[in-house]
Amino acid sequence: MKHTDIKEVLTNASFIGQKVTVCGWVRTARNSKNVAFIELNDGTSLKHLQIVIDKAADIEYENALRLGTSIKVEGTVVEARQAAVEINAESIEVIGECPLEYPLQKKRHTLEFLRTMPHLRGRTNTFNAVFRVRSVLAESIHKYFQNRNYVYINTPLITGSDCEGAGEMFQVTTHGYSTEFKNADEYYSNDFFGKKAGLSVSGQLEGEVAAMALGKIYTFGPSFRAENSNTPKHLAEFWHVEPEVAFAELPDIIEMAEDMLKTVIRELLDTCKDEMQFFDDHFEKGIIGRLEELISHDFGVVSYTEAIKLLQESGEDFVYPVSWGCDLQTEHERYIAEKVFKKAVFVTDYPKEIKSFYMKQNPDGKTVAAVDLLVPGVGEIIGGSEREADYEKLIAAMNDRGMNLDLYSDYLDLRKFGSVPHGGFGLGFERLIMYVTGVSNIRDVTLYPRAVGNIR
Ligand code: 4AD
């Protein structure tokens, strides 16, 4: 179907005076005495294109005024008073009718209501803006790494090893329920892979394999977590950006994370001006200014031990009590980012007991070289570390956790054959989108959210 994108018509002045064909869905329509107006959107732009219909002209338009109807319009682009341009229609063809039961009749619907119809909510301004921001950020992240000699690696989604060891793996099986197996071992050895398999919670372990050959790599793909936490920031399927760098220590990883975030947010502010203004107007007043502020200052850095002291001295009445050794809850993370630092802050060197087996053990014997990045409004968006590169120390940490070393033999080999200091992090892509848009529920920054008790 030959037609011009509405974005092009709205932004390219050379169309003025030209005849064009545009397609789209009717967002609103007004029918006055001599003229009718249609606000048309084809998804290429947050802004709609106004179609002006002169009722005296011989144009069939009556069926085109219903919300949600898809139409094709031919007409001339003219300068307009309020918008940059509009189209004086010469012909209108209804492509797909839309009956009155179309649910998106009102101007503004609640996000909860829209969550009940993921197949239609993309046609609202909010989701038009969210999905474009998502797309622009994804491209910027790829560009950031590609421009700096990182190799993009696709790590396996089906795996036999649990990276985080938190017992949150979805099982992958071809076996249904059966009483024919005597025990779990027999059940798994008869399954497709001959052993227990699951969906990967992180590409890190295989990312390390690639980094030990290619030096600097990143992954950008889905991770899966069967977390039973029905919170506004957890999904069962989320997109994960995981760079892994050889010949790097924790400060190098922190520096790269900050530079990457600043670079992609700068590009977002420059590329998605309309969308970011929309979020500033409708979701979080002043968000553009806050992001500008964020990228023009250094992020904070604080050790876990200092962070615990700050929380204990805060006088705040937290739901979860604070003591050295506890995991930081969202309320603690947000207090540190929002009240103490009032900006993004890296928290480093966590107690080894609350972090994963692979993290480099610090000389104090109590902490590991871990880092989380906390941001106002969301809490943690990045989790990373320097990795334990010493074979014996890694084995000891795995034994402490009662892990089955046989499942990790490839990973252990990396420490035997030319081991180097290395590290990386995982950025939750949806959490980044929440942070930069001010959208406060993770279910509203992805096309089809998967969360506990919720799939379609
Ligand atoms: O802190 P996490 O668990 O770290 C890892 O998975 C490491 N293997 C990463 C690495 O070092 N390569 O997860 C990293 C990030 C979190 O900070 C969070 O942003 C996101 O992944 N994340 C989730 N996002 C949405 N829903 C969930 N259920 C998430 N779990 C983690």
Side-chain angles (χ1 to χ4, degrees), residues 164 202 204 225 227 235 240 242 380-383 387 426 428:
E164 293 305 310
S202 158
Q204 179 197 323
R225 297 203 181 175
E227 276 176 297
L235 288 173
H240 211 171
E242 295 186 277
E380 180 198 330
I381 63 169
I382 279 181
R387 319 305 185 191

Side-chain angles (χ1 to χ4, degrees), residues 163-164 168 201-205 223 225 227 229 233-244 355 358-359 372-373 380-385 387 424-432 442:
C163 173
E164 293 305 310
E168 290 164 348
V201 299
S202 158
Q204 179 197 323
L205 301 189
S223 283
R225 297 203 181 175
E227 276 176 297
S229 40
K233 56 179 224 180
H234 288 93
L235 288 173
E237 176 182 306
F238 68 97
W239 279 65
H240 211 171
V241 180
E242 295 186 277
E244 191 67 36
K355 288 292 183 185
Y358 52 71
M359 295 190 179
D372 281 358
L373 178 67
E380 180 198 330
I381 63 169
I382 279 181
S385 71
R387 319 305 185 191
F425 64 80
L427 164 70
F429 189 44
E430 285 82 7
R431 295 220 185 143
L432 174 64
I442 199 164

Side-chain angles (χ1 to χ4, degrees), residues 41 44-48 125-126 128-129 132 274-275 278:
N41 193 292
T44 59
S45 141
L46 181 61
K47 289 203 174 103
H48 310 323
N125 292 340
T126 297
N128 179 301
R132 199 168 347 270
D274 287 346
E275 288 77 7
F278 174 84

